[in-house]
Amino acid sequence: MSHRADLVVALKEGRLAFELGEGVADCPYPAGDPRRAAWLRGFAAARDRRAAGE
């Protein structure tokens, strides 16, 4: 089980990955890892923000 801090870091990494132009396939965490879900949520949040014009 990941610690909350690890999940927060993964979330921020996902946001940064989107901002740097990386793709979803670039996620460094394996399937089934809670950090992968956090990374993907961060990526999606950054993508949605850009789509909303923020």
Side-chain angles (χ1 to χ4, degrees):
M1 182 61 88
S2 295
H3 294 287
R4 181 180 171 107
D6 294 334
L7 298 176
V8 171
V9 168
L11 184 79
K12 290 180 179 181
E13 287 175 345
R15 287 180 187 156
L16 180 61
F18 178 81
E19 292 169 6
L20 294 175
E22 296 180 19
V24 173
D26 295 320
C27 179
Y29 304 107
D33 188 325
R35 294 172 298 171
R36 181 178 180 84
W39 191 96
L40 292 170
R41 280 194 309 271
F43 189 93
R47 182 187 60 213
D48 293 347
R49 264 190 131 160
R50 181 171 292 166
E54 292 181 23

